[in-house]
Amino acid sequence: MKVLALMLALLMVFSVACGQLSQYHYEGAGTGAVVGGAAGVLLDKHNRWRGGVIGAGLGALFGATLADISVRGSREAYQSGGPVEYKTEDGRGYYKAEPASDYYYKDPSTKCRKVSEKVWEDGKLVKDTVKEICESEKQERIY
């Protein structure tokens, strides 16, 4: 019963925050839910359903949080033109984003820059990607 109440509370919090989430958050939450659910099923030998549900909930929350850090870090590196770093309090997790190119224009109203992202866990590189971050000016036809 407690697990059901916890899952309903997490579902309500997650659904309220959905209006502020991007595609990256959904992908991170989905991946985290799958991995967490699988881990929960394997770890809870007495009640695999309970382990799967708890693991999926916690995995979705963790995945969406990592996606949020990635989105914020790459945006900050884009805007500042310098490296951005985040570290966990225990020092096991480390995130770094830095511009990999100068600004360039895809079209007259869109300014882009490539940003390199790296994530380390326990000193091991687990993610190394390059994102293209763009900003554009909104143009409206006014009559």
Side-chain angles (χ1 to χ4, degrees), residues 8-128:
L8 286 174
L10 283 174
L11 182 63
M12 288 187 327
V13 168
F14 191 68
S15 64
V16 168
C18 283
Q20 302 169 5
L21 299 179
S22 69
Q23 174 189 352
Y24 297 111
H25 292 96
Y26 293 125
E27 290 173 1
T31 303
V34 169
V35 172
V41 166
L42 295 174
L43 293 174
D44 191 349
K45 293 183 184 358
H46 298 292
N47 188 342
R48 297 206 185 270
W49 280 102
R50 176 183 63 196
V53 169
I54 292 172
L58 293 174
L61 186 62
F62 185 69
T65 302
L66 286 177
D68 188 54
I69 291 170
S70 176
V71 168
R72 287 182 187 203
S74 60
R75 284 274 173 209
E76 287 178 24
Y78 169 88
Q79 292 170 347
S80 70
V84 174
E85 299 176 359
Y86 293 115
K87 295 179 184 178
T88 58
E89 289 181 10
D90 62 1
R92 294 180 57 205
Y94 179 71
Y95 170 88
K96 183 176 183 177
E98 58 188 334
S101 74
D102 289 332
Y103 292 111
Y104 58 92
Y105 293 88
K106 290 183 116 176
D107 60 50
S109 63
T110 304
K111 181 168 69 170
C112 299
R113 172 180 254 174
K114 291 189 179 181
V115 174
S116 170
E117 288 185 316
K118 294 181 181 180
V119 178
W120 289 269
E121 286 182 19
D122 294 324
K124 261 179 101 171
L125 183 66
V126 295
K127 181 181 176 185
D128 186 3

